[in-house]
């Protein structure tokens, strides 16, 4: 049965049964710890040091925050306001874009697939946007005007991160340029207040499909990542920790393609979104990923340098996306298709 988007007006005094997770998947059954999300200052003038910091954070966590990222505050603000306004539109305006077709942009949906083939629904509505006309809705009116400068500035910041990551890995600075990073889109996620956040998730555990994701949120608190205890910060085992960024900072995480191209040196971090009882939270995830026909494979230089052999087989990004969607983004299931 198709699910009604949460932002379409119904007020929920308790969590409807279709959203209640089985006990072992609830966020309350996991440990939340305090940790500090590494800060990378993209405005620094010593690129060698910044590159090292990116690779260190990427190796240990796959997550960091960037400051002096070059996305103007007013551009971020205008984009967030337009995103919030979309979810406040009357239901019939939003439902013009409601679809299960994963290839359609713009596309409005709820949970992962509007309930189709989903045992439990996630407490989230989502607007998927492309970066080119006509891949966004005509309402709210300011959306297109906000999206273009925001996307351009965020993609420029992502490009700087990718160039620095390449340097830090010992690759040519341009390794990720061209068709390897020529594609992408945006998830505008909206999580209305939930009557009982202990029973639900806004987004289930997943790794992002692309190379790098840049995230902006209107209210802190919601994004969590799986921290592996094998790094400096952990004491063994794994735990879910809150990913909190400073005001004005952007959160950056690596996706599956970065783990593959770096032959496992950089981590594509598993993350999820928990829900909150009070404020509605909106987050914008801008994904930078390969063009569909692009062949993705571990960088030869890394494979040869370590004499370790490639950990992953070459594939086309279009093929990968089909696998990713079929596996619901679940890390180990997706990785099993890619490994040698
Ligand atoms: O809302 C968030 O913080 C996370 C969203 C997310 O993981 C995604 O859109 O891929
Ligand atoms: Fe994600």
């Amino acid at each position: 049965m198709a699910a009604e988007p949460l932002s379409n007006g119904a007020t929920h005094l308790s969590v409807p049964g279709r959203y209640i997770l089985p006990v072992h998947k609830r966020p309350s059954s996991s440990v939340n710890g305090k940790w500090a999300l590494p800060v990378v200052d993209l405005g620094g003038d010593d690129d060698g040091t910044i590159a090292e910091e990116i690779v260190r954070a990427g190796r240990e966590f796959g997550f960091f925050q960037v400051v002096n990222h070059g996305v103007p505050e007013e551009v971020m603000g205008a984009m967030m306001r337009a995103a919030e306004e979309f979810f406040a539109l009357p239901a019939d305006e939003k439902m013009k874009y409601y679809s299960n077709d994963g290839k359609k942009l713009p596309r409005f949906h709820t949970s992962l697939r509007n309930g189709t083939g989903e045992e439990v629904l996630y407490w989230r509505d989502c607007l998927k946007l492309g970066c080119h006309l006509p891949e966004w809705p005509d309402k709210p009116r300011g959306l297109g005007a906000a999206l273009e400068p925001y996307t351009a500035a965020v993609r420029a910041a992502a490009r700087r991160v990718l160039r620095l990551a390449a340097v830090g890995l010992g690759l040519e600075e341009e390794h990720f340029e061209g068709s390897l990073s020529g594609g992408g889109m945006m998830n505008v996620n909206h999580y209305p207040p939930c009557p009982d956040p202990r029973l639900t998730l806004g987004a289930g555990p997943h790794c992002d499909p692309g190379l790098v994701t840049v995230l902006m949120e209107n209210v802190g608190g919601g994004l969590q990542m799986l921290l592996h205890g094998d790094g400096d910060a952990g004491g063994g085992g794994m735990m879910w920790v809150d990913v909190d960024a400073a005001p004005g900072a952007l959160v950056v995480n690596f996706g599956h393609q970065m783990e593959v191209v770096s032959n496992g040196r950089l981590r594509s971090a598993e993350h999820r979104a928990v829900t909150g009882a009070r404020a509605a939270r909106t987050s914008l995830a801008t994904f930078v990923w390969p063009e569909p026909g692009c062949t993705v494979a571990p960088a030869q230089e890394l494979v040869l340098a370590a004499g370790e052999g490639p950990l992953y087989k070459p594939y086309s990004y279009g093929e990968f996306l089909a696998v990713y969607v079929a596996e619901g983004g679940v890390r180990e299931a997706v990785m099993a298709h890619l490994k040698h």
Side-chain angles (χ1 to χ4, degrees):
M1 190 178 69
E4 182 72 10
L6 290 155
S7 61
N8 276 0
T11 317
H12 298 288
L13 297 175
S14 61
V15 178
R18 289 187 76 191
Y19 294 87
I20 299 179
L21 291 162
V23 173
H24 68 284
K25 292 192 171 172
R26 291 182 194 169
S28 49
S29 67
S30 55
V31 190
N32 295 312
K34 279 272 165 236
W35 75 295
L37 182 65
V39 183
V40 174
D41 183 350
L42 288 182
D45 45 21
D46 180 1
D47 278 4
T49 305
I50 311 173
E52 269 172 35
E53 287 170 2
I54 289 177
V55 166
R56 193 178 321 124
R59 197 173 48 225
E60 192 162 357
F61 308 117
F63 260 98
F64 51 96
Q65 53 183 315
V66 289
V67 296
N68 293 316
H69 42 61
V71 188
E73 218 181 289
E74 52 291 1
V75 169
M76 290 169 68
M79 183 65 223
M80 184 53 83
R81 275 193 301 281
E84 289 166 343
E85 280 170 24
F86 176 82
F87 294 100
L89 288 173
D92 58 345
E93 275 300 331
K94 288 178 289 194
M95 293 306 272
K96 287 184 196 164
Y97 305 100
Y98 182 83
S99 168
N100 280 348
D101 180 355
K103 296 204 164 57
K104 237 173 147 176
L105 289 174
R107 180 162 72 98
F108 176 52
H109 67 94
T110 191
S111 187
L112 272 181
R113 291 182 286 267
N114 295 329
T116 311
E118 293 184 80
E119 271 166 40
V120 179
L121 293 176
Y122 291 112
W123 195 266
R124 164 185 88 152
D125 290 347
C126 181
L127 173 66
K128 289 188 152 58
L129 301 175
C131 314
H132 306 288
L133 254 180
E135 294 171 332
W136 60 78
D138 50 7
K139 286 198 184 135
R141 259 187 347 141
L143 181 57
L147 186 64
E148 279 181 302
Y150 179 76
T151 308
V154 165
R155 286 190 70 95
R159 181 161 179 256
R160 174 144 166 79
V161 168
L162 289 174
R163 289 177 76 91
L164 289 161
V167 169
L169 285 167
L171 299 171
E172 296 284 333
E173 196 172 358
E174 297 80 26
H175 190 89
F176 296 105
E177 307 257 307
S179 64
L180 202 48
S181 59
M185 45 84 64
M186 189 190 288
N187 266 359
V188 185
N189 301 298
H190 181 76
Y191 311 95
C194 175
D196 191 346
R198 293 170 306 177
L199 305 178
T200 61
L201 279 174
H206 68 280
C207 288
D208 289 341
L211 275 173
V212 66
T213 305
V214 181
L215 187 102
M216 168 173 69
E217 56 187 355
N218 64 346
V219 212
L223 177 59
Q224 294 185 335
M225 62 155 262
L226 194 58
L227 184 69
H228 293 249
D230 51 1
D232 293 345
M238 298 201 271
M239 60 177 169
W240 288 100
V241 292
D242 295 323
V243 175
D244 286 324
L250 290 166
V251 174
V252 174
N253 69 278
F254 291 136
H256 283 295
Q257 307 317 304
M258 184 56 94
E259 188 157 329
V260 169
V261 174
S262 71
N263 208 32
R265 282 173 177 69
L266 302 184
R267 205 188 277 276
S268 74
E270 210 170 346
H271 54 284
R272 67 182 186 184
V274 296
T275 60
R278 278 187 292 273
R281 175 170 173 266
T282 301
S283 72
L284 275 85
T286 305
F287 304 106
V288 175
W289 64 40
E291 291 166 9
C294 177
T295 301
V296 183
Q300 269 305 101
E301 300 90 313
L302 298 180
V303 171
L304 296 175
E308 63 199 10
L311 298 180
Y312 310 98
K313 344 176 229 222
Y315 52 84
S316 85
Y317 189 62
E319 276 165 24
F320 168 85
L321 270 185
V323 165
Y324 181 85
V325 171
E327 298 291 1
V330 174
R331 183 186 157 81
E332 293 315 321
V334 174
M335 278 296 179
H337 289 270
L338 308 181
K339 281 187 180 143
H340 253 305

